[in-house]
Coordinates of all heavy atoms in Angstrom, one line a residue:
V292 N -8.4 97.9 -9.5 CA -7.5 98.8 -10.0 C -8.2 99.8 -10.9 O -9.3 99.5 -11.5 CB -6.4 98.0 -10.8 CG1 -6.9 97.4 -12.1 CG2 -5.2 98.9 -11.1
L293 N -7.7 101.1 -11.0 CA -8.4 102.1 -11.7 C -7.4 102.9 -12.6 O -6.2 103.1 -12.2 CB -9.1 103.1 -10.7 CG -9.9 104.3 -11.3 CD1 -11.1 104.5 -10.6 CD2 -9.0 105.5 -11.3
E294 N -7.8 103.4 -13.7 CA -7.0 104.2 -14.6 C -8.0 105.3 -15.1 O -9.2 105.0 -15.4 CB -6.5 103.3 -15.8 CG -5.6 104.1 -16.8 CD -4.3 104.4 -16.2 OE1 -3.8 103.6 -15.5 OE2 -3.8 105.5 -16.6
S295 N -7.4 106.5 -15.2 CA -8.3 107.5 -15.8 C -7.5 108.3 -16.9 O -6.3 108.3 -16.9 CB -8.6 108.6 -14.7 OG -7.5 109.2 -14.2
E296 N -8.2 108.7 -17.9 CA -7.6 109.4 -18.9 C -8.6 110.4 -19.6 O -9.7 110.0 -19.9 CB -7.2 108.4 -20.1 CG -6.5 109.0 -21.3 CD -5.3 109.9 -21.1 OE1 -4.3 109.3 -20.5 OE2 -5.4 111.1 -21.3
W297 N -8.2 111.7 -19.6 CA -9.0 112.7 -20.2 C -8.7 113.1 -21.6 O -9.1 114.2 -22.1 CB -9.0 113.9 -19.2 CG -9.7 113.6 -17.9 CD1 -9.0 113.5 -16.8 CD2 -11.0 113.3 -17.6 NE1 -9.9 113.0 -15.8 CE2 -11.1 113.0 -16.3 CE3 -12.2 113.3 -18.4 CZ2 -12.3 112.7 -15.6 CZ3 -13.4 112.9 -17.8 CH2 -13.4 112.7 -16.3
G298 N -7.9 112.4 -22.3 CA -7.4 112.7 -23.6 C -8.3 112.2 -24.6 O -9.4 111.8 -24.5
H299 N -7.7 112.0 -25.8 CA -8.4 111.6 -27.0 C -8.5 110.0 -27.0 O -7.9 109.3 -26.1 CB -7.7 112.0 -28.3 CG -7.7 113.5 -28.4 ND1 -8.8 114.2 -28.8 CD2 -6.7 114.4 -28.2 CE1 -8.4 115.5 -28.8 NE2 -7.2 115.6 -28.5
R300 N -9.3 109.6 -27.9 CA -9.6 108.1 -28.0 C -8.4 107.3 -27.9 O -8.4 106.2 -27.1 CB -10.4 107.9 -29.3 CG -10.8 106.5 -29.5 CD -11.5 106.3 -30.8 NE -12.7 107.1 -30.9 CZ -14.0 106.6 -30.7 NH1 -14.1 105.3 -30.5 NH2 -15.0 107.4 -30.8
R301 N -7.4 107.5 -28.6 CA -6.2 106.7 -28.6 C -5.5 106.6 -27.3 O -5.0 105.6 -26.9 CB -5.2 107.0 -29.7 CG -5.6 106.6 -31.1 CD -4.7 106.9 -32.1 NE -5.1 106.5 -33.4 CZ -4.6 106.9 -34.5 NH1 -3.6 107.8 -34.6 NH2 -5.1 106.4 -35.6
R302 N -5.5 107.8 -26.6 CA -4.9 107.9 -25.2 C -5.7 107.1 -24.3 O -5.1 106.5 -23.4 CB -4.7 109.3 -24.8 CG -3.6 110.0 -25.6 CD -3.4 111.4 -25.1 NE -2.8 111.3 -23.8 CZ -2.5 112.3 -23.1 NH1 -2.8 113.6 -23.5 NH2 -2.0 112.2 -21.9
I303 N -7.0 107.2 -24.5 CA -7.9 106.4 -23.6 C -7.7 104.8 -23.7 O -7.5 104.1 -22.8 CB -9.4 106.7 -23.7 CG1 -9.6 108.2 -23.4 CG2 -10.3 105.8 -23.1 CD1 -11.0 108.7 -23.9
Q304 N -7.6 104.4 -25.0 CA -7.3 103.0 -25.3 C -6.0 102.6 -24.7 O -5.8 101.5 -24.2 CB -7.4 102.7 -26.8 CG -8.8 102.9 -27.3 CD -8.9 102.9 -28.8 OE1 -7.9 103.0 -29.5 NE2 -10.1 102.5 -29.4
Y305 N -4.9 103.4 -24.9 CA -3.6 103.2 -24.4 C -3.6 103.0 -22.8 O -3.1 102.0 -22.2 CB -2.7 104.3 -24.8 CG -1.3 104.1 -24.1 CD1 -0.3 103.3 -24.7 CD2 -0.9 104.8 -23.0 CE1 0.9 103.1 -24.0 CE2 0.3 104.7 -22.4 CZ 1.2 103.9 -22.9 OH 2.4 103.7 -22.3
S306 N -4.3 104.0 -22.2 CA -4.4 103.8 -20.7 C -5.2 102.6 -20.3 O -4.8 102.0 -19.3 CB -5.1 105.1 -20.2 OG -4.3 106.2 -20.3
F307 N -6.2 102.3 -21.1 CA -6.9 101.1 -20.7 C -6.1 99.9 -20.7 O -6.1 98.9 -19.9 CB -8.3 100.9 -21.5 CG -8.9 99.7 -21.2 CD1 -9.8 99.6 -20.0 CD2 -8.7 98.5 -22.0 CE1 -10.4 98.4 -19.7 CE2 -9.4 97.4 -21.7 CZ -10.2 97.3 -20.5
R308 N -5.3 99.7 -21.7 CA -4.4 98.6 -21.9 C -3.5 98.3 -20.7 O -3.2 97.2 -20.4 CB -3.6 98.6 -23.2 CG -4.4 98.4 -24.5 CD -3.5 98.5 -25.7 NE -4.2 98.1 -26.9 CZ -4.9 98.9 -27.7 NH1 -4.9 100.2 -27.4 NH2 -5.5 98.4 -28.8
K309 N -3.2 99.4 -20.0 CA -2.4 99.1 -18.7 C -3.2 98.3 -17.7 O -2.6 97.6 -17.0 CB -2.0 100.5 -18.2 CG -0.9 101.1 -19.1 CD -0.3 102.5 -18.4 CE -1.3 103.7 -18.6 NZ -0.7 104.8 -18.0
L310 N -4.5 98.6 -17.7 CA -5.3 97.7 -16.8 C -5.3 96.2 -17.0 O -5.4 95.5 -16.1 CB -6.8 98.2 -16.9 CG -7.2 99.6 -16.3 CD1 -8.6 99.9 -16.6 CD2 -6.9 99.7 -14.8
L311 N -5.1 95.9 -18.3 CA -5.1 94.5 -18.6 C -3.9 93.7 -18.0 O -3.9 92.5 -17.9 CB -5.0 94.3 -20.1 CG -6.3 94.8 -20.9 CD1 -6.2 94.8 -22.3 CD2 -7.5 94.0 -20.4
L312 N -2.8 94.5 -17.7 CA -1.6 93.9 -17.0 C -1.9 93.6 -15.6 O -1.1 92.8 -14.9 CB -0.5 94.8 -17.2 CG 0.0 95.1 -18.5 CD1 1.1 96.1 -18.7 CD2 0.4 93.9 -19.4
S313 N -2.9 94.1 -15.0 CA -3.2 94.0 -13.6 C -3.8 92.7 -13.3 O -4.6 92.1 -14.0 CB -4.1 95.1 -13.1 OG -4.6 94.8 -11.8
K314 N -3.5 92.1 -12.1 CA -4.1 90.9 -11.6 C -5.4 91.1 -10.9 O -6.0 90.2 -10.3 CB -3.2 90.1 -10.7 CG -1.9 89.7 -11.4 CD -2.1 88.8 -12.6 CE -0.8 88.4 -13.2 NZ -1.0 87.6 -14.4
S315 N -5.9 92.2 -10.8 CA -7.2 92.6 -10.1 C -8.4 92.1 -10.8 O -8.5 92.1 -12.1 CB -7.4 94.1 -10.0 OG -8.6 94.4 -9.3
P316 N -9.4 91.4 -10.0 CA -10.7 91.0 -10.7 C -11.6 92.1 -11.0 O -12.5 91.9 -11.8 CB -11.2 90.1 -9.6 CG -10.7 90.7 -8.3 CD -9.3 91.2 -8.6
Y317 N -11.2 93.3 -10.5 CA -12.1 94.6 -10.9 C -11.3 95.6 -11.5 O -10.2 96.0 -10.9 CB -12.8 95.1 -9.5 CG -13.6 94.1 -8.9 CD1 -13.1 93.3 -7.8 CD2 -14.9 93.8 -9.3 CE1 -13.9 92.5 -7.1 CE2 -15.7 92.8 -8.7 CZ -15.2 92.2 -7.6 OH -16.0 91.2 -7.0
K318 N -11.7 96.0 -12.7 CA -10.9 97.1 -13.3 C -11.8 98.1 -13.8 O -12.9 97.9 -14.4 CB -10.2 96.4 -14.6 CG -9.3 95.2 -14.1 CD -8.6 94.5 -15.3 CE -7.9 93.3 -14.7 NZ -7.0 92.7 -15.7
V319 N -11.4 99.4 -13.5 CA -12.2 100.6 -13.8 C -11.4 101.5 -14.6 O -10.2 101.9 -14.4 CB -12.5 101.3 -12.4 CG1 -13.5 102.5 -12.7 CG2 -13.3 100.4 -11.5
I320 N -12.1 102.1 -15.7 CA -11.5 103.1 -16.5 C -12.4 104.4 -16.4 O -13.7 104.2 -16.5 CB -11.3 102.7 -17.9 CG1 -10.7 103.8 -18.8 CG2 -12.6 102.2 -18.6 CD1 -9.2 104.0 -18.7
V321 N -11.9 105.6 -16.1 CA -12.7 106.8 -16.1 C -12.2 107.7 -17.2 O -10.9 107.8 -17.4 CB -12.5 107.5 -14.8 CG1 -13.3 108.8 -14.7 CG2 -12.8 106.6 -13.6
F322 N -13.1 108.1 -18.0 CA -12.7 108.9 -19.2 C -13.9 109.9 -19.6 O -14.8 109.9 -18.9 CB -12.3 108.0 -20.4 CG -13.5 107.1 -20.9 CD1 -14.3 107.6 -22.0 CD2 -13.8 105.9 -20.3 CE1 -15.3 106.7 -22.4 CE2 -14.8 105.1 -20.7 CZ -15.6 105.5 -21.8
Q323 N -13.6 110.6 -20.7 CA -14.6 111.6 -21.1 C -14.9 111.4 -22.6 O -14.0 110.9 -23.3 CB -14.2 113.0 -20.9 CG -13.0 113.5 -21.7 CD -12.7 114.9 -21.4 OE1 -13.4 115.6 -20.8 NE2 -11.4 115.3 -21.8
G324 N -16.1 111.8 -23.0 CA -16.5 111.6 -24.5 C -17.4 112.8 -24.8 O -18.0 113.4 -24.0
S325 N -17.4 113.0 -26.0 CA -18.0 114.2 -26.6 C -19.7 114.0 -26.6 O -20.3 115.0 -26.6 CB -17.6 114.5 -28.0 OG -17.8 113.4 -28.9
G326 N -20.1 112.8 -26.5 CA -21.5 112.5 -26.4 C -21.7 111.0 -26.4 O -20.8 110.2 -26.3
K327 N -23.0 110.6 -26.2 CA -23.4 109.2 -26.0 C -22.9 108.3 -27.1 O -22.3 107.1 -26.9 CB -24.9 109.1 -25.9 CG -25.4 107.6 -25.6 CD -26.9 107.6 -25.6 CE -27.4 106.2 -25.2 NZ -26.6 105.0 -25.6
D328 N -22.9 108.7 -28.4 CA -22.5 107.9 -29.5 C -21.0 107.6 -29.4 O -20.6 106.4 -29.6 CB -22.8 108.5 -30.8 CG -24.3 108.5 -31.2 OD1 -25.0 107.7 -30.6 OD2 -24.7 109.3 -32.0
M329 N -20.1 108.6 -29.1 CA -18.8 108.4 -28.9 C -18.4 107.5 -27.7 O -17.6 106.6 -27.9 CB -18.1 109.7 -28.7 CG -16.6 109.7 -28.7 SD -15.9 109.4 -27.1 CE -14.2 109.7 -27.4
I330 N -19.2 107.7 -26.6 CA -18.9 106.8 -25.4 C -19.3 105.4 -25.8 O -18.6 104.5 -25.4 CB -19.8 107.4 -24.2 CG1 -19.2 108.7 -23.8 CG2 -19.7 106.4 -23.1 CD1 -20.0 109.6 -22.8
D331 N -20.4 105.2 -26.4 CA -20.8 103.8 -26.8 C -19.8 103.2 -27.6 O -19.4 102.0 -27.5 CB -22.3 103.8 -27.4 CG -23.3 104.1 -26.4 OD1 -23.1 104.0 -25.2 OD2 -24.5 104.4 -26.9
S332 N -19.4 103.9 -28.6 CA -18.3 103.4 -29.6 C -17.1 103.0 -28.9 O -16.4 102.0 -29.2 CB -18.1 104.4 -30.7 OG -17.0 104.1 -31.5
L333 N -16.6 103.9 -28.0 CA -15.4 103.7 -27.3 C -15.5 102.4 -26.3 O -14.6 101.6 -26.3 CB -14.9 104.9 -26.5 CG -13.5 104.8 -25.9 CD1 -12.5 104.4 -26.8 CD2 -13.1 106.1 -25.3
C334 N -16.6 102.3 -25.7 CA -16.9 101.2 -24.9 C -16.8 99.9 -25.6 O -16.2 98.9 -25.3 CB -18.2 101.3 -24.1 SG -18.2 102.5 -22.8
D335 N -17.5 99.9 -26.8 CA -17.4 98.7 -27.7 C -16.0 98.4 -28.2 O -15.6 97.2 -28.2 CB -18.3 99.0 -28.9 CG -19.8 98.9 -28.6 OD1 -20.2 98.4 -27.5 OD2 -20.5 99.5 -29.5
Q336 N -15.2 99.4 -28.5 CA -13.8 99.2 -28.8 C -13.0 98.6 -27.7 O -12.2 97.7 -27.8 CB -13.1 100.4 -29.3 CG -13.7 100.9 -30.6 CD -13.1 102.2 -31.1 OE1 -12.4 102.9 -30.4 NE2 -13.4 102.6 -32.3
I337 N -13.2 99.1 -26.5 CA -12.6 98.6 -25.3 C -12.9 97.1 -25.0 O -12.1 96.3 -24.7 CB -12.8 99.5 -24.1 CG1 -12.1 100.8 -24.2 CG2 -12.3 98.8 -22.8 CD1 -12.4 101.9 -23.2
I338 N -14.2 96.8 -25.1 CA -14.6 95.4 -25.0 C -13.9 94.4 -26.0 O -13.5 93.4 -25.7 CB -16.1 95.3 -25.1 CG1 -16.7 95.9 -23.8 CG2 -16.6 93.8 -25.2 CD1 -18.2 96.1 -23.9
G339 N -13.7 95.0 -27.2 CA -12.9 94.3 -28.3 C -11.6 94.0 -27.8 O -10.9 93.0 -28.1
I340 N -10.9 95.0 -27.2 CA -9.5 94.9 -26.8 C -9.5 93.9 -25.6 O -8.6 93.0 -25.6 CB -9.1 96.2 -26.2 CG1 -8.9 97.2 -27.3 CG2 -7.7 96.0 -25.5 CD1 -8.6 98.7 -26.8
I341 N -10.5 93.8 -24.8 CA -10.5 92.8 -23.6 C -10.6 91.4 -24.3 O -9.9 90.5 -23.9 CB -11.7 93.0 -22.8 CG1 -11.6 94.4 -22.0 CG2 -11.9 91.9 -21.8 CD1 -12.9 94.8 -21.3
K342 N -11.5 91.3 -25.3 CA -11.7 89.9 -25.9 C -10.5 89.5 -26.6 O -10.3 88.2 -26.7 CB -12.9 90.0 -26.8 CG -14.2 90.1 -26.2 CD -15.4 90.3 -27.1 CE -16.7 90.4 -26.4 NZ -17.9 90.5 -27.4
Q343 N -9.7 90.3 -27.2 CA -8.5 89.9 -27.9 C -7.3 89.7 -27.0 O -6.3 89.1 -27.5 CB -8.1 91.0 -29.0 CG -9.1 91.1 -30.1 CD -8.8 92.3 -31.0 OE1 -7.9 93.0 -30.8 NE2 -9.6 92.4 -32.1
C344 N -7.3 90.2 -25.8 CA -6.2 90.0 -24.9 C -6.0 88.7 -24.3 O -6.9 88.1 -23.7 CB -6.3 91.1 -23.8 SG -4.8 91.0 -22.7
H345 N -4.8 88.1 -24.5 CA -4.5 86.7 -23.9 C -4.4 86.8 -22.4 O -4.4 85.7 -21.8 CB -3.3 86.2 -24.6 CG -2.0 86.8 -24.3 ND1 -1.6 88.0 -24.9 CD2 -1.1 86.4 -23.4 CE1 -0.5 88.3 -24.3 NE2 -0.1 87.4 -23.5
L346 N -4.3 88.0 -21.8 CA -4.1 88.0 -20.4 C -5.5 88.1 -19.6 O -5.5 88.0 -18.4 CB -3.4 89.3 -20.0 CG -1.9 89.4 -20.5 CD1 -1.3 90.7 -20.2 CD2 -1.1 88.2 -20.0
T347 N -6.5 88.2 -20.4 CA -7.8 88.3 -19.8 C -8.2 87.0 -19.1 O -8.0 85.9 -19.7 CB -8.9 88.7 -20.9 OG1 -8.5 89.9 -21.4 CG2 -10.3 88.8 -20.2
V348 N -8.8 87.1 -17.9 CA -9.2 85.9 -17.2 C -10.8 85.9 -17.1 O -11.3 87.0 -16.8 CB -8.6 85.9 -15.7 CG1 -9.1 84.8 -14.9 CG2 -7.1 85.9 -15.8
K349 N -11.3 84.8 -17.3 CA -12.8 84.7 -17.2 C -13.3 85.2 -15.8 O -12.7 84.9 -14.8 CB -13.2 83.2 -17.4 CG -14.7 83.0 -17.4 CD -15.1 81.5 -17.6 CE -16.6 81.4 -17.5 NZ -17.0 80.0 -17.7
G350 N -14.3 86.0 -15.9 CA -15.0 86.5 -14.8 C -14.4 87.9 -14.3 O -14.9 88.4 -13.3
E351 N -13.4 88.4 -14.9 CA -12.9 89.8 -14.5 C -14.1 90.8 -14.8 O -14.8 90.6 -15.8 CB -11.7 90.2 -15.4 CG -10.5 89.4 -14.9 CD -9.2 89.8 -15.8 OE1 -9.4 90.1 -17.1 OE2 -8.1 89.8 -15.3
K352 N -14.3 91.8 -13.9 CA -15.3 92.7 -14.1 C -14.7 94.0 -14.4 O -13.8 94.5 -13.8 CB -16.1 92.8 -12.8 CG -16.8 91.4 -12.6 CD -17.6 91.4 -11.3 CE -18.3 90.1 -11.0 NZ -17.5 88.9 -11.0
Y353 N -15.3 94.7 -15.5 CA -14.9 96.0 -15.9 C -16.0 97.0 -15.8 O -17.1 96.7 -16.1 CB -14.5 96.0 -17.4 CG -13.3 95.0 -17.7 CD1 -13.5 93.6 -17.8 CD2 -12.0 95.5 -17.8 CE1 -12.5 92.8 -18.1 CE2 -10.9 94.6 -18.0 CZ -11.2 93.2 -18.1 OH -10.1 92.4 -18.4
L354 N -15.6 98.2 -15.2 CA -16.6 99.3 -15.1 C -16.0 100.5 -15.9 O -14.9 100.9 -15.8 CB -16.8 99.7 -13.6 CG -17.7 100.9 -13.4 CD1 -19.1 100.5 -13.9 CD2 -17.6 101.3 -12.0
F355 N -16.8 101.0 -16.9 CA -16.5 102.2 -17.7 C -17.3 103.3 -17.2 O -18.5 103.3 -17.0 CB -16.9 101.9 -19.1 CG -16.4 100.6 -19.7 CD1 -17.3 99.8 -20.3 CD2 -15.1 100.3 -19.7 CE1 -16.9 98.5 -20.7 CE2 -14.6 99.1 -20.2 CZ -15.5 98.2 -20.7
C356 N -16.6 104.3 -16.7 CA -17.2 105.6 -16.2 C -16.7 106.7 -17.0 O -15.7 107.1 -17.1 CB -16.6 105.9 -14.7 SG -16.9 104.5 -13.7
A357 N -17.8 107.2 -17.8 CA -17.5 108.2 -18.8 C -18.4 109.4 -18.5 O -19.5 109.5 -18.4 CB -17.9 107.6 -20.2
K358 N -17.6 110.6 -18.5 CA -18.3 111.8 -18.5 C -18.7 112.3 -19.8 O -17.8 112.5 -20.7 CB -17.3 112.9 -17.8 CG -18.0 114.2 -17.7 CD -17.0 115.3 -17.2 CE -17.7 116.6 -17.2 NZ -17.6 117.3 -18.4
N359 N -20.0 112.5 -19.9 CA -20.6 112.9 -21.2 C -20.4 114.4 -21.4 O -21.1 115.1 -20.5 CB -22.0 112.4 -21.3 CG -22.7 112.7 -22.7 OD1 -22.4 113.8 -23.3 ND2 -23.5 111.9 -23.1
N360 N -19.6 114.9 -22.2 CA -19.4 116.3 -22.3 C -20.5 117.1 -22.8 O -20.6 118.3 -22.7 CB -18.0 116.6 -23.1 CG -16.9 116.3 -22.3 OD1 -16.8 116.2 -21.2 ND2 -15.7 116.0 -23.1
S361 N -21.5 116.4 -23.5 CA -22.7 117.1 -23.9 C -23.7 117.4 -22.9 O -24.2 118.4 -22.8 CB -23.3 116.3 -25.0 OG -22.5 116.1 -26.2
T362 N -23.8 116.3 -21.9 CA -24.8 116.6 -20.9 C -24.1 116.9 -19.5 O -24.8 117.2 -18.6 CB -25.6 115.2 -20.7 OG1 -24.7 114.2 -20.3 CG2 -26.3 114.8 -22.0
H363 N -22.9 116.7 -19.4 CA -22.0 117.0 -18.2 C -22.5 116.0 -17.1 O -22.5 116.3 -15.9 CB -22.2 118.4 -17.7 CG -21.8 119.4 -18.7 ND1 -20.5 119.6 -19.2 CD2 -22.5 120.2 -19.6 CE1 -20.4 120.5 -20.1 NE2 -21.7 120.9 -20.4
V364 N -22.8 114.8 -17.5 CA -23.3 113.7 -16.6 C -22.4 112.5 -16.9 O -22.1 112.2 -18.0 CB -24.7 113.4 -16.8 CG1 -25.1 112.2 -16.0 CG2 -25.7 114.6 -16.5
F365 N -22.1 111.8 -15.7 CA -21.3 110.5 -15.9 C -22.3 109.4 -16.3 O -23.3 109.3 -15.8 CB -20.6 110.1 -14.6 CG -19.2 110.8 -14.5 CD1 -19.1 112.0 -13.9 CD2 -18.2 110.1 -14.9 CE1 -17.9 112.6 -13.8 CE2 -16.9 110.7 -14.9 CZ -16.8 111.9 -14.2
E366 N -21.8 108.6 -17.2 CA -22.6 107.4 -17.8 C -21.7 106.2 -17.4 O -20.4 106.3 -17.4 CB -22.7 107.5 -19.3 CG -23.5 108.7 -19.6 CD -23.8 108.7 -21.2 OE1 -23.6 107.7 -21.9 OE2 -24.2 109.7 -21.7
F367 N -22.3 105.1 -17.1 CA -21.6 103.9 -16.6 C -22.0 102.7 -17.4 O -23.1 102.5 -17.8 CB -22.0 103.7 -15.1 CG -21.6 104.8 -14.2 CD1 -22.6 105.7 -13.9 CD2 -20.4 104.9 -13.7 CE1 -22.2 106.9 -13.1 CE2 -20.0 106.0 -12.9 CZ -21.0 106.9 -12.6
R368 N -21.0 101.9 -17.8 CA -21.2 100.6 -18.5 C -20.4 99.5 -17.7 O -19.4 99.8 -17.2 CB -20.7 100.7 -19.9 CG -21.1 101.8 -20.7 CD -22.5 101.7 -21.3 NE -22.9 102.7 -22.3 CZ -23.1 103.9 -22.1 NH1 -23.0 104.4 -20.9 NH2 -23.4 104.8 -23.1
A369 N -20.9 98.4 -17.7 CA -20.2 97.2 -17.1 C -20.0 96.1 -18.1 O -20.8 96.0 -19.0 CB -21.0 96.8 -15.9
Y370 N -19.0 95.3 -17.9 CA -18.7 94.2 -18.7 C -18.0 93.2 -17.9 O -17.1 93.5 -17.0 CB -17.8 94.6 -19.9 CG -17.4 93.4 -20.8 CD1 -18.3 92.8 -21.6 CD2 -16.2 92.8 -20.6 CE1 -18.0 91.8 -22.5 CE2 -15.9 91.8 -21.5 CZ -16.7 91.2 -22.4 OH -16.4 90.2 -23.1
E371 N -18.3 91.9 -18.1 CA -17.7 90.8 -17.4 C -17.1 89.9 -18.5 O -17.8 89.5 -19.4 CB -18.6 90.0 -16.5 CG -17.9 88.9 -15.8 CD -18.8 88.2 -14.7 OE1 -19.8 88.8 -14.4 OE2 -18.5 87.1 -14.3
S372 N -15.8 89.6 -18.4 CA -15.1 88.8 -19.4 C -15.6 87.3 -19.2 O -16.0 86.8 -18.2 CB -13.6 88.8 -19.2 OG -13.2 88.3 -17.9
V373 N -15.7 86.6 -20.5 CA -16.3 85.3 -20.6 C -15.2 84.4 -21.1 O -14.2 84.8 -21.7 CB -17.5 85.2 -21.5 CG1 -18.6 85.9 -20.7 CG2 -17.2 85.8 -22.8

């Protein structure tokens, strides 16, 4: 399942939370960030949301696809729930 959001941090987090309701073992979020530090920070926050969610199932795989607005290049991060 995939969700995309080109808005601000709170809108990205809101859109991501919708993925947590899905029963899919693979979840993808596509978003943009102003630079590497912002993207890293947002990925860390999203991982925190995953860890706190009681709906998370061990082994779910998450892919973060972030367009870095400073470099105009997509950056990718992966996370697997434990």
Side-chain angles (χ1 to χ4, degrees):
V292 65
L293 181 139
E294 181 71 37
S295 66
E296 178 58 59
W297 295 106
H299 297 286
R300 181 181 298 260
R301 285 188 180 162
R302 291 187 65 188
I303 295 167
Q304 292 171 342
Y305 172 80
S306 291
F307 177 78
R308 283 184 172 92
K309 291 188 275 181
L310 288 176
L311 296 174
L312 301 175
S313 168
K314 299 294 184 191
S315 173
Y317 301 99
K318 300 176 184 192
V319 180
I320 181 81
V321 181
F322 62 96
Q323 65 181 346
S325 59
K327 184 179 181 333
D328 290 341
M329 187 272 189
I330 292 168
D331 289 343
S332 172
L333 187 52
C334 288
D335 289 343
Q336 289 176 353
I337 290 172
I338 290 170
I340 292 169
I341 295 167
K342 290 178 177 179
Q343 292 177 357
C344 181
H345 69 281
L346 299 173
T347 300
V348 176
K349 181 180 179 179
E351 288 178 328
K352 293 172 180 62
Y353 297 85
L354 179 62
F355 311 122
C356 306
K358 180 182 176 277
N359 185 324
N360 288 337
S361 296
T362 62
H363 306 288
V364 173
F365 273 89
E366 299 183 15
F367 303 92
R368 310 280 191 289
Y370 177 77
E371 183 173 342
S372 60
V373 290

